[in-house]
Amino acid sequence: MSLALILLSGFVAAACAQTARPVPLAPTPPMGRNSWNHFAQRVIDADVRAAADAMVANGMREAGYIYVNIDDSWEGTRDADGVLHSNNKFPDMKALADYVHSKGFKLGIYSSPGAKTCAKYEGSLGHEAQDAKTYAEWGIDFLKYDLCSYGNVLRKEGHGDVAAAFPLQRLAYRKMHDALVATGRPIIYSLCQYGMNSVWEWGPEVGGNLWRTTGDIKDTYERMSLIGFAQAGLAKYGGPGHWNDPDMLEVGNGGMNGDEYRTHMSLWAMLAAPLLAGNDLSKMKPETLAILENRDVIAIDQDPLGIQGDRLSAVGPLEIWSKPLSDGSKAVALFNRGELETSMTLKLSDVGLKKAVNLHDVWAGKDIAVENGSYTAVVPKHGVVLLRIQNSSH
Ligand code: GLA
């Protein structure tokens, strides 16, 4: 090869290295299930296997629910070398990971930067690298890292003020990220510190692929809607590889009615939020499955553009949210937070759409042609009308 050719190929290789960006972990918001909302500390190995089996049988895997995550209460004790073992509810974590992987899923686990987790199990303080190595050996693909008792360390250092010890908190989250990276295994990193110190501003810098923006969700319309609608204004912080996380889903846990669960699912999709089902997937009503598996709603959440939706208007309890999608269409949600069924009118110009549009009512599953510049729908109490709208060609 001539010198010129060698130089040229070197130049091309260098240019490619510069332009070929690696696909980030979590290019779209992670989807899967998490044990906490339904099982809490009762979760055992068999529940995790049953969830994976159910997700194959009921189509959730096909719909994109890939992460099978174990939350707090799997942790046992450390041996003389400091290696953490799972407790007797999880007799063989590697075998469980192999099982979950064999069904086409990924396995997630949970820990804390503190000495103890929120449910007072063993945390990772002082054992970060060792625990990350253990996770990688087991075949773990996702870690939720929950502040919990590290708050005590921060309180002490901040002389009573957890938020004041922020640099330390940041270091603690960065430390586990670096430990995960050092294992060489791609492990999604989920920060859980309830939105303190505006985590959305620094979550990406400590390696977070998602970060909780709020305290814990509950299976009530009041709590879900308080958390969900308070996400307005955070859109610019979410994006491919780094997502705002308003907490796991409660759909199907029984504390809300169908309209309220459709609001929950629609709002999370508009927010490009992680969709981690929190119900018992092995026992589910068809209505629950229809909500979790609605392909049009999932497509809004998982849109590859990765732009989080935001609030456009709020008039009393009536809110309109919109989210741009990769094919040039828009998702628009008409939410009625009030106590009475109400008509809501969307002026198409308000969402940057022309007078004539093709509109798909996502939950009703029907297409509607609109010619006169506005669309009026009746929205049930605590309910939603979710639309996917495309400018028409004429
Ligand atoms: C915290 C988290 C929850 C859950 C529990 C487990 O409360 O916010 O999501 O992980 O801890 O103890």
Side-chain angles (χ1 to χ4, degrees), residues 36-50:
W36 188 255
N37 285 354
H38 177 79
F39 294 95
Q41 293 181 52
R42 297 182 309 277
V43 64
I44 58 172
D45 173 291
D47 301 322
V48 181
R49 290 173 192 251

Side-chain angles (χ1 to χ4, degrees), residues 220-227 256 260 337 339 382:
T220 64
Y221 176 74
E222 288 65 33
R223 183 69 184 154
M224 178 281 292
S225 60
L226 186 74
I227 284 179
M256 294 182 238
E260 294 168 337
R337 299 177 67 179
E339 300 302 314
H382 296 179

Side-chain angles (χ1 to χ4, degrees), residues 9-22:
S9 59
F11 174 75
V12 170
C16 286
Q18 267 178 10
T19 48
R21 294 245 236 64

Side-chain angles (χ1 to χ4, degrees), residues 243-262:
W243 305 101
N244 289 307
D245 173 11
D247 208 358
M248 305 164 292
L249 297 171
E250 290 283 7
V251 176
N253 277 333
M256 294 182 238
N257 66 31
D259 286 325
E260 294 168 337
Y261 281 139
R262 275 184 287 279

